[in-house]
Each structure stands twice: as structure tokens, then as C-alpha cells.
Amino acid sequence: MSSLLPATQWTLPDHAAGDNDISVLPRIFEDAINIAIFQRPLPADIAFSAQAQCQTDRAWQYSWLGHPDEAFSADLLRHLPAPEAATPLVEDMATIAEAVAFLFDTQTVGIRLRLLNSAMCPRFHCDNLPVRMVTTYFGPGSEWLPEYAINREGLGAPHPDRPDIATDTAAIQRLSPGDIALIKGSGWVGCEERGLVHRSPALENGSKRLLMSIDPA
């Protein structure tokens, strides 16, 4: 298996579920699964809308805590740097947020949209929360490790005595732009020692990444 394979070429491990149909996402509730991936090519209008928000000199971020209703869409539209081109992106974000809220039976979600010009979390790690949705609208997607390529003794704050986390760098997987992934963290009951190990991708000088994450509340 070559490094950083795109989703269409993945051979997924037993703890991962992937499909080009959104019905794959509820598989995150299966005990053995710690990542569920809706493999979605990003529609051209959404890709153009997202790219328009990346034409700024500085990194920026937007956050919302509440129900992903019309108030969310209106507030997001007011805060985006290129609102004249933002409608397809805003509509897609709202649709995804509504789907996450429905799936986890909650009226409240925490939504973040970030334009990054450097890796946000460059070290492999496991989130200390139950579950998070991630999707990349522009730039490289999140990277993650199959369980067989992880030495969990290396997790935690960097220390000279800690071993490398990735035991096989050729096994590193990467989400594609447009993919919608649900990721279990160590806060998921029954997954305390099996949360997905992942990291932000490296960004070359001058490159950018537009990332959305959603946490069910």
C-alpha cells in the first residue's frame, strides 16, 4: 500500500467504514468502527465557493454553537470574507450540520470553519471527546492511521523517551476534499483506548486549507 492514498483507492481496515453513500455514516455507532467516511467528490459550485473564501492574506476562523438553523446560515454569511460567492458553501455546511444534529439526536452542535496556512495539529493524536465530524473544502484532507500501524505508547505530549506513533508510514491514509468523516475520540464510551489516531496534513509554503469540524453537543 502506497502512502497517502486517495479515498477511491483505499483498502480500509476493519475498524473503518467507507462508502460513496451517506448511509455509511451511522456505522460510527458500531462498536468496532472508529471512523466512518462518506466519500464525496466535492461539487464544482461548492469547490468554487470555498476557494473564494481562501483568497485572503491571513488565516481566519468562524465558530457557532447552537442549532444549525437559518440564524446560523445568516450569521455565517455575514462573517465570510467573500459573501458574494458564499451561498453554495453556506448551504452545504448547513446541510451537513443538520445531518449531524439529526444523527446524534441533538439540537446543539459546535461548528468551526477555519482557513489554515499551517498544520493545526501536525502530530498524530487522539481527540479527547466522543465524536467529531471533519470535512475539508480546500487543500489536503486529514491524515489517519490504521490500528495496525499505531504504537499508542507514543501518544501524548512530545517527549524524547516516547516512541514514534506511526509504526508504518506507508500505511498513512488521507481524506480527500469533500469527504465527510465521523471520528471517534477517547471520550466515546467503549472506545477509550481505541479512538482514531489522526493529524493535520503538512502545508507547503503559500498553500492553504479550509476545514470544517462539527462536535455534537
Side-chain angles (χ1 to χ4, degrees), residues 15 31-34 125-130 145-148 150-156 162 165 184-197:
H15 62 86
D31 291 342
I33 300 297
N34 65 6
H125 64 283
C126 177
D127 292 332
N128 185 26
L129 46 74
L145 286 169
E147 193 63 32
Y148 70 82
I150 300 170
N151 182 351
R152 289 186 178 268
E153 293 183 0
L155 294 172
R162 289 193 185 278
I165 299 168
K184 280 181 185 173
S186 60
W188 185 285
V189 176
C191 200
E192 292 84 357
E193 305 299 327
R194 296 185 298 106
L196 188 83
V197 174

Side-chain angles (χ1 to χ4, degrees), residues 120-135:
M120 183 174 60
C121 301
R123 179 178 167 81
F124 277 116
H125 64 283
C126 177
D127 292 332
N128 185 26
L129 46 74
V131 66
R132 170 168 287 164
M133 190 289 309
V134 296
T135 190

Side-chain angles (χ1 to χ4, degrees), residues 1-4 144-146 148-149 167-174:
M1 182 183 297
S2 59
S3 178
L4 304 183
W144 59 278
L145 286 169
Y148 70 82
T167 61
D168 179 5
T169 56
I172 298 172
Q173 306 274 359
R174 175 182 285 174

Side-chain angles (χ1 to χ4, degrees), residues 6-26:
T8 54
Q9 298 180 26
W10 281 346
T11 300
L12 294 174
D14 291 342
H15 62 86
D19 203 299
N20 58 7
D21 192 283
I22 196 171
S23 62
V24 71
L25 293 180

